[in-house]
């Protein structure tokens, strides 16, 4: 059969290519049978804080300097044991000069 995934946590990003001013939603997902609490999000090595809605964090407005490698971590619970787990990093790119400005010219 297919190999089992080795990552117990996966960081899902609403878009990996963004424009300045966009909103991005980070979502930390665990294996179906694992409980996930105390979720934290990181950009490079900076702690962005905990999830506001369980396992999600929205960042807005995005700026050029917000590009980089994002990951999440959380306390995973399975039956009688608990441990800290972290996702693999996901690279997010932010582009400048929005080609569709909202302001009328």
């Amino acid at each position: 059969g297919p190999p089992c995934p080795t990552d117990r946590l996966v960081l899902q990003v609403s878009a990996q290519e963004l424009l300045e001013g966009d909103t991005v939603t980070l979502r930390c997902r665990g294996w179906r049978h694992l409980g996930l609490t105390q979720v934290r999000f990181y950009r490079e090595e900076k702690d962005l804080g905990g999830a506001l809605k369980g396992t999600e964090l929205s960042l807005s407005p995005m700026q050029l300097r917000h590009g980089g490698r994002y990951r999440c971590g959380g306390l995973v619970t399975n039956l009688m044991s608990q441990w800290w787990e972290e996702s693999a990093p996901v690279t997010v790119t932010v582009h400048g000069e929005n080609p569709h400005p909202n302001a009328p010219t």
Side-chain angles (χ1 to χ4, degrees):
C4 292
T6 55
D7 294 334
R8 290 189 177 93
L9 288 188
V10 175
L11 176 62
Q12 295 179 323
V13 180
S14 57
Q16 287 181 247
E17 296 281 330
L18 298 158
L19 293 171
E20 281 186 296
D22 283 353
T23 298
V24 66
T25 301
L26 308 177
R27 188 176 188 199
C28 201
R29 300 282 307 267
W31 280 358
R32 217 173 282 166
H33 62 283
L34 297 176
L36 179 59
T37 57
Q38 298 180 30
V39 173
R40 310 288 297 179
F41 293 92
Y42 306 90
R43 180 175 61 83
E44 302 303 339
E45 295 306 313
K46 183 185 177 200
D47 189 340
L48 299 176
L52 298 178
K53 297 183 291 184
T55 60
E56 290 185 11
L57 180 69
S58 288
L59 302 175
S60 175
M62 294 297 282
Q63 298 174 12
L64 287 174
R65 63 185 174 86
H66 293 143
R69 287 156 49 101
Y70 287 79
R71 61 187 169 84
C72 67
L75 191 61
V76 174
T77 307
N78 184 10
L79 300 175
M80 302 291 286
S81 59
Q82 276 190 333
W83 66 95
W84 184 261
E85 191 80 40
E86 291 189 355
S87 72
V90 175
T91 300
V92 172
T93 304
V94 181
H95 300 282
E97 298 185 21
N98 190 335
H100 307 290
N102 295 332
T105 52

